Amino acid sequence: MALLFFTFFYAWNLYNPLWNLPIAKQSVSILDTNKKIIHKFLTDDGYLRFIPDLDNLDPGFVQMLLAYEDKNFFNHYGVDFLSIGRALIQNIQNNKIVSGASTITMQTVRLLEPGPRTVWKKLIECIKAFNLEIAYNKNTILQTYLTLTPYGGNLQGIRAASLIYFGKEPTHLNLAEAALLVALPQSPETLRPDRFPKQALNARNHVLKIMADKGVINQIQALEAMDQPVPVKQQLNNNIIPHLAYLLRKKYPNQSVIESYIDQNLQNSLLDLAYTKQSFLEPDTTIAMIVAENKTGNIKAYIGSSDYQNNNFFGANDMVQAIRSPGSTLKPFIYALAFDNFLIHPETIMDDIPMRFGGYAPKNFDHQFFGEITARQALQFSRNIPAVALLAKLGSSQLITLFKKAGADLILPKGEMLAGLPIALGGIGANLQNLVQLYLTLAHQGLYIPLAYSTLDSSQYSERLIGEMASWYTTKILEETPLPSNQIDPLYINNPKSLAFKTGTSYGFRDAWTIGYNQHYTVGVWVGRPSGSFSPERLGLKDAAPLFFEVFDRLPKDYKSIEIKDNKPVQALDISNSDLPNNLQHFYLDTKSSLISTAKNDMLKIIYPIDQTVIQLKKDKEIMENLVLQTTGGKLPLMWFANGHLITTSFRRQIEWKPDSAGALSVTVMDQAGQSNSINIWLQP
């Protein structure tokens, strides 16, 4: 008989090997830098399921489970004949099924091959349990059981249940928690504590009583555990990086566990910041942020939008990856390349005057012209004309090559084959990730290191894209960029945080940017509408810059105790304009090229109003509207006179002045060098 049984078993094993049965896959999980789950995906069949690590499983739970389900688990070969005999006697005595006598191995078979509970099915389970014991060791069988055990709803396995019901890994469980996790699989849908807390409490206490009766725990421990409540709601373990999680899952489709570099505390803090600030913005406006560690390129925080669930502004759209116009955020790299090519020095004089570049006539954002200014001031005040003039000297291809080497995928406007001068002012497509990568290169003294989102991205690759001298010059200039302020003249406010940063605003006020860095972190902030619609008065300095500084205030404090050193390169010249070599004192355009200046560099001239013209000014309650006065050339500051009386001294080349009355008006302007220019006009209300 025994020979017949083993012959049958061998034949079954030959044609129906259990180890060929598909083992359920676990849910994909994204971990933070401390290896804690910060995002989880359901499996393809809709379950939340994780494979537990038996070495890190609470030993008290395992002891309680075996005592309740299968005390001889480590001694039998899949079927416990003594338990079957005892169960058969109990069922006959009670005239109903009191005990099924299924071992953990048999239950594992049932979880792998669910089906109707029949006598024949039970026999098949016994045979396959033998088969399973031959194919796998005890720990693997127990691990499979604890992976597939149902815990209500779409929860499968001890890890998923512990994470959702208790908000923690099942590494350290108290007696009440362990007993509940033993009880739930008995009837997972009717004992769910989040839906049926009373039934769950009774079932848990029943397990505790049995454990006390069996001597696994003592009576006092059981009573103390019974006094504890059951969790009445699920611990959601918020998915705090939804946009990055989908990005990583798409990038690594075959990985079930992805270890990111996200700092969970920082991520939560910036999520709160973005969510709070978004409520003060215009309708349908959202915020994106990214924080990179300079030393490694590791991404410590990633905010794709201020509210992933908000459909009003397409919150599920990842605005870190969205292609937008970068505005003026690319200007620092034009200057860095110019420094590298010895075209200019930070103290080189440049001309901020009306110019044409072939058929291209760019304007400054404020429609004003400063005349002669240093390269340092031109970048700090984000003047458009000097930046375009520099790019014309360099050639757009140099800038594009730099971007490509830094891994930045810049998108040309539709129909354009080659990049032209408008890219200096944002006439190209980029995303927040691209820009942070570029600024990280500046922060790293001109060395390119790739951004890394997870341990799978790690790379030691580095390449010098910008010289140390050029990087140092650019950083020093950006550190002195005027801060957002309500004071009368913010041009002279210094940056107290030693943060090198640049703001940007795209055409039509659609995108507001601020990207910058210190010696430890690089941060990028974007504010706008995912739809790309026009937003009146949205400015990088007004909307994105304050957020940028708040992000730095929330960064880990440990780096702030480190002494910041100025690693000035030996070849860098920190001198005034008069001490520069002649070829670096003034940046002149090539007169043989198609670059045409509409005014001589050394001539002070009033360009509006035009001499001998009649100007009509509206009148409201006997008060005339402002008269706009604009000059070109000369050396700042400028003194303005009306009919021989000083009206103001200004460091700007355009002012507004309110005349006292209509009639003839003589206007004179005088610069610091003593040059003057006058016009005569007639004011008519």
Side-chain angles (χ1 to χ4, degrees), residues 371-488:
E372 288 188 346
I373 56 174
T374 65
R376 179 187 307 277
Q377 293 168 324
L379 178 53
Q380 287 171 355
F381 302 151
S382 198
R383 309 310 291 167
N384 290 345
I385 307 299
V388 175
L390 272 181
L391 186 59
K393 274 275 193 179
L394 286 166
S396 301
S397 60
Q398 272 205 64
L399 189 61
I400 292 297
T401 299
L402 171 67
F403 295 158
K404 288 182 177 179
K405 286 184 177 180
D409 299 322
L410 300 177
I411 309 300
L412 291 172
K414 189 175 181 180
E416 296 289 335
M417 300 299 294
L418 297 173
L421 296 182
I423 67 173
L425 311 183
I428 200 167
N431 61 31
L432 189 59
Q433 174 182 277
N434 294 155
L435 295 176
V436 169
Q437 177 70 79
L438 287 167
Y439 278 78
L440 178 63
T441 301
L442 280 177
H444 221 261
Q445 294 83 48
L447 280 174
Y448 163 75
I449 58 170
L451 294 176
Y453 291 106
S454 74
T455 54
L456 301 171
D457 296 330
S458 295
S459 172
Q460 299 301 316
Y461 169 77
S462 65
E463 179 183 357
R464 177 160 296 285
L465 302 184
I466 303 172
E468 287 185 75
M469 177 191 70
S471 297
W472 186 82
Y473 282 155
T474 308
T475 296
K476 286 300 173 185
I477 292 172
L478 295 179
E479 284 180 350
E480 298 169 5
T481 299
L483 297 178
S485 171
N486 294 325
Q487 298 187 34
I488 296 174

Side-chain angles (χ1 to χ4, degrees), residues 607-619:
I607 60 175
Y608 185 84
I610 299 173
D611 190 27
Q612 303 298 323
T613 58
V614 176
I615 305 297
Q616 288 189 330
L617 297 177
K618 293 180 181 180
K619 206 170 185 180

